[in-house]
Coordinates of all heavy atoms in Angstrom, one line a residue:
Chain B
S25 N 100.5 8.8 139.6 CA 101.4 7.8 140.2 C 101.7 8.2 141.7 O 101.6 9.4 142.0 CB 102.6 7.6 139.5 OG 103.4 8.8 139.5
D40 N 109.9 6.2 140.4 CA 109.2 5.6 139.2 C 107.7 5.2 139.6 O 107.0 4.8 138.8 CB 109.9 4.4 138.7 CG 111.3 4.8 138.2 OD1 111.3 6.0 137.6 OD2 112.2 4.0 138.1
G41 N 107.3 5.4 140.9 CA 106.0 5.0 141.2 C 106.2 3.7 142.1 O 106.7 2.7 141.6
G58 N 106.6 -0.1 154.1 CA 107.8 -0.4 153.4 C 109.0 -0.2 154.3 O 108.9 0.0 155.5
Y176 N 71.1 6.6 174.6 CA 72.4 6.9 174.1 C 73.5 5.8 174.2 O 74.0 5.4 173.3 CB 73.0 8.1 174.7 CG 74.3 8.6 174.3 CD1 74.7 9.1 173.0 CD2 75.4 8.3 175.1 CE1 76.0 9.4 172.7 CE2 76.7 8.6 174.8 CZ 77.0 9.1 173.6 OH 78.3 9.5 173.3
L180 N 75.1 3.8 171.1 CA 76.6 3.9 170.9 C 77.3 2.6 170.8 O 78.2 2.2 170.0 CB 77.2 4.7 171.9 CG 78.6 5.1 171.8 CD1 78.9 5.8 170.4 CD2 79.3 5.8 173.0
A191 N 86.3 3.1 168.8 CA 86.5 2.6 170.1 C 86.3 3.8 171.1 O 85.7 3.9 172.2 CB 87.7 1.8 170.4
I229 N 76.4 15.4 172.0 CA 75.1 14.6 172.2 C 75.2 13.6 173.4 O 74.2 12.9 173.5 CB 74.8 13.8 170.9 CG1 75.8 12.8 170.5 CG2 74.5 14.8 169.6 CD1 75.2 11.9 169.5
L264 N 66.6 20.9 167.4 CA 65.3 20.3 166.8 C 65.2 20.7 165.4 O 65.3 21.8 164.9 CB 64.1 21.0 167.6 CG 63.8 20.4 168.9 CD1 62.8 21.3 169.6 CD2 63.2 18.9 168.7

Side-chain angles (χ1 to χ4, degrees):
Chain B
S25 66
D40 294 329
Y176 171 78
L180 181 63
I229 61 167
L264 280 168

